[in-house]
Amino acid sequence: MAKNTEKNSHYISAKESRQIAKENREKIKYYESRKKRKIVESEFVAEMKDPSNLVEFENLHTYFFSDAGVVKAVNGVTFSIPEGSTVGVVGESGCGKSVTSLSLMQLVQAPSGQIVDGAIRFKTHTFKRDENGKKIPVYETETNEAGETVVKTNEKGKPIKRKNDLGGTLFEMEDKVYDIAKMPTQAMQNIRGREIAMIFQEPMTSLNPVFTIGNQLDEVAKLHITDLPKDKIRERSIEMLNRVGIADAAGVYKKYPHELSGGMRQRVMIAMALICDPKLIVADEPTTALDVTIQAQILDLLRDIKEKNKSSIMLITHDLGVVAEMADYVVVMYAGKIIEMGTTEDIFDRPLHPYTIGLQKSKPTVDDETEELYCIPGFVPNPVDMPNYCYFRDRCEKCMKKCAGEYPELIEVSKTHKVACYLYENEKEAKGNV
């Protein structure tokens, strides 16, 4: 038998492995030092391209430096989240949905995971600070006998600080735009949890099993609401448990996570995310582990909270039914890239990309008489060594000769609808001639 001399493309020699490890160490050291550096605020202050947006992702690259090579989990993602809207991010498992949201929160698993390029602009309502970097409180005032406005003082002669709606100290605020991709970790801690909150995918692994529900809820208020008394913190936590529809809120406050059902734990996670009334709620598959009845309740709850707080929601899921019900805009991801984006009507009524069409065909419907569900053929390419051509090419039923060329860019087929596919290149050319 002839010996197979062809090199196995999946095999890495010891020398190659050492070289990869050396390069990874150098890159990780560089990116970690950037996160820990002390810089002035002006270095990460940015400007929104569209003032109506709350978040703008631009050419975001988030990589994982593994022993087998660099995994490009998010590879040039660009989209926006308008204020007061819900944006659904959909795709197969491993397409980069969760990593995109974790990049926004600066929670990508380090040191192997790093944001290596791009921008994440966020419109923040942040604290004003004095020359020493301390927050400036707002004081209560009164008019004296001379008709002058002066600061009120207590019995000890100290100025009285005003309280905010939550019961903590009120500080002077200002509107700014920060580039989260450039922010050091310390500065990000002022935004994470207060203005951007995340509902994690699996509540049983997100909640600490050795602390009570109340203890974990109280911690959020302690971190982000200054000078809030202990009794007020407890009131706030119980109020949030009531708000998410938990009947015995005071009783649940004293319980441990394992004493609650899956739906109850999910509600606790939502309550934890909402304690500080955030501007943006990142919901990472909030209904995946729940039955259909509880799922509907959680979605109604998120919708109500969005309306009451005038918040925006970034909804990450692989369930197209949830997206159709909840989202205003939809972003479809595949292998770390956006392959189609548009309004909910664009994506569900006029899907263009073969992958988006395949996703919709694979979902069962009530009036569907077929015996077997559609399955997209083939597999996602190896994330360590992605090809230069369209990542979906080897699975696409409409593949043509041109698909072997460079990766297609997003083509604007309407004001709200974009797709990355050579099938619609003529529409791009038609728009260019207008």
Side-chain angles (χ1 to χ4, degrees), residues 7-222:
K7 185 179 178 182
N8 186 344
S9 61
H10 297 288
Y11 173 77
I12 298 176
S13 68
K15 184 179 179 180
E16 289 173 326
S17 180
R18 287 194 297 271
Q19 181 63 28
I20 290 171
K22 182 182 177 182
E23 291 174 358
N24 285 351
R25 283 195 301 271
E26 292 172 355
K27 291 175 182 177
I28 287 170
K29 184 178 179 181
Y30 169 73
Y31 292 118
E32 282 294 298
S33 64
R34 281 181 57 81
K35 290 192 287 187
K36 296 174 183 177
R37 74 198 188 284
K38 291 185 178 180
I39 60 173
V40 293
E41 188 185 70
S42 59
E43 290 189 38
F44 54 85
V45 169
E47 189 174 335
M48 284 288 183
K49 287 192 173 181
D50 185 345
S52 65
N53 290 332
L54 180 63
V55 182
E56 290 178 348
F57 293 89
E58 184 176 359
N59 197 31
L60 178 66
H61 292 75
T62 303
Y63 296 168
F64 289 88
F65 299 95
S66 72
D67 293 339
V70 179
V71 177
K72 298 179 179 180
V74 176
N75 192 13
V77 164
T78 300
F79 71 96
S80 303
I81 302 175
E83 289 186 284
S85 68
T86 299
V87 175
V89 184
V90 300
E92 289 175 294
S93 295
C95 71
K97 307 185 300 294
S98 294
V99 177
T100 302
S101 67
L102 292 172
S103 300
L104 171 62
M105 298 286 289
Q106 274 200 12
L107 289 176
V108 178
Q109 189 174 3
S112 62
Q114 301 288 342
I115 298 172
V116 302
D117 195 13
I120 308 172
R121 292 183 289 272
F122 175 69
K123 189 186 293 182
T124 177
H125 189 59
T126 190
F127 300 105
K128 272 190 177 181
R129 297 181 182 271
D130 58 22
E131 60 275 6
N132 298 318
K134 293 183 177 180
K135 294 181 283 188
I136 304 171
V138 177
Y139 297 101
E140 292 190 16
T141 59
E142 61 182 352
T143 305
N144 62 16
E145 295 177 356
E148 300 172 332
T149 301
V150 295
V151 176
K152 289 177 71 174
T153 56
N154 58 20
E155 296 173 354
K156 297 180 179 179
K158 293 184 177 181
I160 301 173
K161 297 176 183 178
R162 284 182 59 187
K163 300 294 182 183
N164 58 27
D165 295 338
L166 302 177
T169 300
L170 183 66
F171 294 96
E172 292 187 26
M173 308 294 287
E174 60 183 338
D175 292 323
K176 286 186 177 180
V177 175
Y178 287 151
D179 185 349
I180 291 174
K182 295 179 181 176
M183 289 179 74
T185 304
Q186 189 174 5
M188 183 63 195
Q189 289 172 354
N190 295 320
I191 294 176
R192 188 195 302 130
R194 186 177 66 86
E195 293 194 89
I196 309 175
M198 190 166 186
I199 303 167
F200 291 95
Q201 188 168 349
E202 176 49 60
M204 194 60 205
T205 56
S206 303
L207 293 169
N208 194 320
V210 300
F211 290 104
T212 63
I213 297 299
N215 190 299
Q216 297 181 63
L217 286 169
D218 292 350
E219 185 181 13
V220 182
K222 287 176 186 175

Side-chain angles (χ1 to χ4, degrees), residues 207-406:
L207 293 169
N208 194 320
V210 300
F211 290 104
T212 63
I213 297 299
N215 190 299
Q216 297 181 63
L217 286 169
D218 292 350
E219 185 181 13
V220 182
K222 287 176 186 175
L223 284 171
H224 296 290
I225 308 174
T226 307
D227 298 333
L228 195 61
K230 284 186 178 180
D231 59 329
K232 291 289 185 182
I233 290 175
R234 185 177 183 277
E235 284 179 20
R236 178 67 178 171
S237 296
I238 292 175
E239 177 195 339
M240 295 313 301
L241 290 174
N242 277 315
R243 193 170 170 186
V244 297
I246 292 178
D248 182 20
V252 169
Y253 179 88
K254 299 175 184 177
K255 291 184 177 180
Y256 288 87
H258 71 270
E259 298 179 89
L260 306 180
S261 66
M264 293 276 273
R265 286 195 294 266
Q266 191 67 70
R267 288 171 186 269
V268 169
M269 289 297 299
I270 295 173
M272 191 180 295
L274 299 175
I275 278 184
C276 297
D277 292 335
K279 295 167 66 177
L280 176 66
I281 301 166
V282 181
D284 187 1
E285 306 208 24
T287 60
T288 300
L290 306 177
D291 60 65
V292 178
T293 307
I294 303 298
Q295 184 182 88
Q297 293 175 5
I298 295 296
L299 294 178
D300 288 339
L301 174 62
L302 284 173
R303 195 181 294 108
D304 292 342
I305 287 165
K306 175 196 166 189
E307 296 300 323
K308 288 178 183 176
N309 292 356
K310 296 181 179 178
S311 306
S312 298
I313 297 176
M314 180 179 176
L315 180 64
I316 298 162
T317 182
H318 58 261
D319 190 330
L320 294 178
V322 171
V323 172
E325 183 182 349
M326 287 284 295
D328 303 306
Y329 303 93
V330 181
V331 174
V332 184
M333 291 187 68
Y334 180 78
K337 284 185 175 288
I338 294 174
I339 52 99
E340 188 168 359
M341 58 193 295
T343 62
T344 307
E345 291 77 17
D346 288 334
I347 301 301
F348 285 92
D349 296 343
R350 298 177 296 278
L352 300 177
H353 199 285
Y355 176 67
T356 310
I357 296 169
L359 283 180
Q360 293 195 28
K361 286 168 67 178
S362 65
K363 183 174 177 60
T365 56
V366 176
D367 56 349
D368 194 357
E369 297 180 359
T370 56
E371 295 182 2
E372 190 174 329
L373 285 174
Y374 175 78
C375 178
I376 299 173
F379 302 95
V380 180
N382 186 348
V384 174
D385 189 19
M386 299 297 277
N388 295 325
Y389 51 81
C390 175
Y391 299 161
F392 192 65
R393 173 197 163 201
D394 297 332
R395 305 177 69 186
C396 185
E397 296 175 348
K398 297 182 179 180
C399 178
M400 52 188 180
K401 189 175 181 180
K402 195 166 188 177
C403 296
E406 293 183 359

